[in-house]
Amino acid sequence: PNSYRMGAELQAAVKINQWLNASGNIAFSKNKIKNFTEYIDDYDNGGQLVNQYKNTTISFSPDVVSATVINFIPIANGEISVQSKYVSSQFLDNTSNINRSINPYYIHDVRLSYTLHEKFFKEVNFIFKVNNILDKKYEANGYTYNYFYGGKLDVENYYFPMAGVNFLAAINIKL
C-alpha cells in the first residue's frame, strides 16, 4: 500500500527515405516501496528474522527499458528489420541488495519478412527471425531465497537463462 511507480517514456520514429526508416522508445522510471519488511527463516533458532527497509526499489522493476528498430526495404513487399532491446539491472527481491539482482542486458534480433498479395487471400506474410543474433548470455528472470543457518545468512540466487541464438519462422494469412 505504500509504494509508487513514476516515470516517463519517449518515442520517436523517422522515415529517412523510401527504403529506410527507424523507430525507438525509452522509458525511465523509479519504482519504490516506502516501507518494506523482509522476513528471513531462522533455522538455528526457529522463527524468522525481521529487517526493515525504507525507500527500496520494487523487484523486477528496471530503471531503464528501451528498444530500437531499423527497417530496410530492399525490394517491394520485403523488409529486413534489426531490433535491439536494453533492460537495466533489476532486483530479485524488494531489499535493493545488489547481490540479489539481475545484470542489465542488451540484445539484438534480425527479422526478414516478405508479403504477397494474392487473389484468394488478402495477404500472405512470410517471416523468418533470428533472436539474440549475437548469442548474448543473459538472464531476464529469477528468484532469491535467504535463510539463517549455521550462524550465518545464506543467500541463494536462482536465474533463468535466456536462449542463445534461436530461430522463428511464420506464415501469416489474411483472408
Side-chain angles (χ1 to χ4, degrees), residues 78-122:
E79 186 174 89
I80 302 168
S81 299
V82 178
Q83 306 166 333
S84 301
K85 180 180 181 180
Y86 172 77
V87 178
S88 67
S89 63
Q90 304 170 64
F91 294 107
L92 293 170
D93 65 12
N94 295 323
T95 63
S96 296
N97 186 329
I98 195 70
N99 295 317
R100 303 178 201 170
S101 64
I102 298 171
N103 290 328
Y105 58 90
Y106 187 46
I107 57 169
H108 308 281
D109 304 331
V110 174
R111 180 179 182 264
L112 308 172
S113 67
Y114 186 76
T115 303
L116 294 174
H117 299 280
E118 297 289 323
K119 292 179 183 178
F120 186 68
F121 302 113
K122 285 185 181 178

Side-chain angles (χ1 to χ4, degrees), residues 4 14 18 29 40 51 86-87 111 125-126 128 133 156:
Y4 66 90
V14 61
Q18 290 298 96
S29 65
I40 300 173
N51 293 319
Y86 172 77
V87 178
R111 180 179 182 264
N125 184 249
F126 300 92
F128 180 74
I133 195 156
E156 296 183 3

